[in-house]
């Protein structure tokens, strides 16, 4: 069965102290619903990051992120196993509602491990 990445995005100026407790309750309720339905394989929030960029000379330049140049950044994600994209989108709609934000859905393509 296909797996999907459902990534939740936060604005660059996100301030966690401004989040209402009901958001956390709604996210936990959604996680329980996903587990009970058997679709959630993994979920997590994300902390700080480092950005890595390859330079013209081949060296890799590392900076404190937390992210690449963007208006928003990934704040967390779910890995879901769903019958198809339509089912993943239905769960993603619930994710957008629970987080009061925006989410993105991408199908995960697996590459076999080298032998």
């Amino acid at each position: 069965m296909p797996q999907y990445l459902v990534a939740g995005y936060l604005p660059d100026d996100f301030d966690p102290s401004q989040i209402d407790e009901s958001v956390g309750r709604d996210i936990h309720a959604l996680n329980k619903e996903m587990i009970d339905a058997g679709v959630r394989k993994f979920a997590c929030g994300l902390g700080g990051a480092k950005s890595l960029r390859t330079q013209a000379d081949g060296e890799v330049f590392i900076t404190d992120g937390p992210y690449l140049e963007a208006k928003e950044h990934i704040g967390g994600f779910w890995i879901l196993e769903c019958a198809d994209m339509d089912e993943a989108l239905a769960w993603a709609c619930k994710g957008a509602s629970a987080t009061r934000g925006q989410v993105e859905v991408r199908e995960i393509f697996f590459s076999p491990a080298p032998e």
Side-chain angles (χ1 to χ4, degrees), residues 2 4 15 18-19 23 29 35 61 76 86 88 94 105 110 113:
Y4 298 87
D15 179 0
Q18 300 299 311
I19 294 296
V23 174
I35 291 167
F61 184 65
D86 288 338
K94 292 181 179 194
V105 180
F110 290 97

Side-chain angles (χ1 to χ4, degrees), residues 28-87:
H28 290 300
L30 177 58
N31 277 313
K32 183 176 180 342
E33 184 181 355
M34 289 174 169
I35 291 167
D36 291 347
V39 298
R40 194 188 97 171
K41 298 303 170 189
F42 183 81
C44 69
L46 299 173
K50 302 281 186 181
S51 292
L52 290 80
R53 290 181 177 85
T54 305
Q55 304 299 300
D57 63 3
E59 293 292 317
V60 176
F61 184 65
I62 302 172
T63 58
D64 287 333
Y67 14 85
L68 300 174
E69 294 178 26
K71 293 181 182 176
E72 41 305 295
H73 61 276
I74 296 176
F77 64 90
W78 291 277
I79 301 294
L80 306 181
E81 191 169 78
C82 300
D84 53 31
M85 178 61 88
D86 288 338
E87 183 183 0

Side-chain angles (χ1 to χ4, degrees), residues 14-28:
F14 174 72
D15 179 0
S17 69
Q18 300 299 311
I19 294 296
D20 185 284
E21 288 182 21
S22 66
V23 174
R25 285 193 301 271
D26 289 350
I27 293 170
H28 290 300

